[in-house]
Each structure stands twice: as C-alpha cells, then as structure tokens.
Amino acid sequence: SDRMFYGLTELEAIEFGTLNTEGIVSMSSMFENCYNLEYLNLSSFDTSSVLRMNDIFRECTNLKYLNINNFVVSRLNSSSNANAYSNMFMGCNNLEIVINPDIKDFINARLGDNHTATLIIK
C-alpha cells in the first residue's frame, strides 16, 4: 500500500469499510501530499504486520481528524530502522488524533515539538 493515495491533492475524505489490510508490511507515504484530506478513519486497519509507516500522513496540511484507535505499532517499535516511522506527521497541524492508550507514547514521539495535535485516548 506504499503511496496508494500519494498526491491525490483534491481528496477530502475516504471511507474504507471492510478493506482487508491484514498482512500489509508497508504503508510508507500512503497519504502523503493529500493536501485537502480533512477526515480519515483508519480504525478498521489491521497494522499488526506493518514494518514501515514513514511519511504516511506527511503534508496532509488540512487533516483535522484522524482515527487510528486500533493501530498496532509493536513491529514498528521493535524496528532497528528509525526511518521505518520517520516524518509520519510532518506538515500536519491542528490535528485531532483518536488513539488507544497503548500507542500514546509512540504517537507523541512521532509528533515531535513542531506539531500541534490533540490526542484523544479511547
């Protein structure tokens, strides 16, 4: 799913329904440069096999709501490759992110000091 929606600048929202993401190992740049994307609910995604999410939401400058409540990042966390999750939220400002408590520290670390985001723990 690398670059699946990359550069779709007019895209505002996506409904995934029952998309099967089991077994996907890389989501790098999946939504990168989707400038007009405002709402994204990825709570149905199975990310338990994902090894790379670098740049996944990079430059989604209008993204206001992101639900990644069911994301599993254990394989990302155990990766020795820091690039596996670099720049995940670069260029995302004023973002509300719904997450589960298990990934709070991971997401906080990815947001860094240069981003404004509100984490909603579910």
Side-chain angles (χ1 to χ4, degrees):
S1 63
D2 286 357
R3 300 173 60 100
M4 183 180 282
F5 302 98
Y6 177 90
L8 296 178
T9 58
E10 300 304 315
L11 187 65
E12 293 179 9
I14 306 169
E15 287 296 325
F16 288 103
T18 59
L19 179 68
N20 184 354
T21 57
E22 182 181 355
I24 291 177
V25 295
S26 182
M27 293 182 170
S28 295
S29 300
M30 190 172 187
F31 302 99
E32 185 176 351
N33 294 332
C34 291
Y35 306 121
N36 286 312
L37 190 61
E38 294 181 8
Y39 172 88
L40 199 51
N41 185 345
L42 306 180
S43 62
S44 65
F45 275 30
D46 178 347
T47 61
S48 59
S49 297
V50 175
L51 297 169
R52 290 180 301 283
M53 281 190 189
N54 55 294
D55 303 306
I56 187 171
F57 307 110
R58 185 177 185 157
E59 299 305 325
C60 290
T61 54
N62 287 310
L63 190 59
K64 293 175 178 64
Y65 177 85
L66 175 64
N67 186 333
I68 54 175
N69 191 40
N70 292 320
F71 266 33
V72 174
V73 297
S74 54
R75 295 200 65 196
L76 287 171
N77 255 343
S78 65
S79 174
S80 59
N81 180 5
N83 290 330
Y85 45 76
S86 63
N87 301 317
M88 286 179 68
F89 298 99
M90 182 177 273
C92 297
N93 299 308
N94 300 313
L95 179 60
E96 185 175 279
I97 307 172
V98 178
I99 59 172
N100 67 61
D102 296 338
I103 65 170
K104 179 183 177 207
D105 292 338
F106 177 84
I107 296 300
N108 265 331
R110 302 296 73 78
L111 289 169
D113 295 331
N114 298 325
H115 304 284
T116 304
T118 303
L119 298 182
I120 299 172
I121 312 299
K122 294 265 180 168

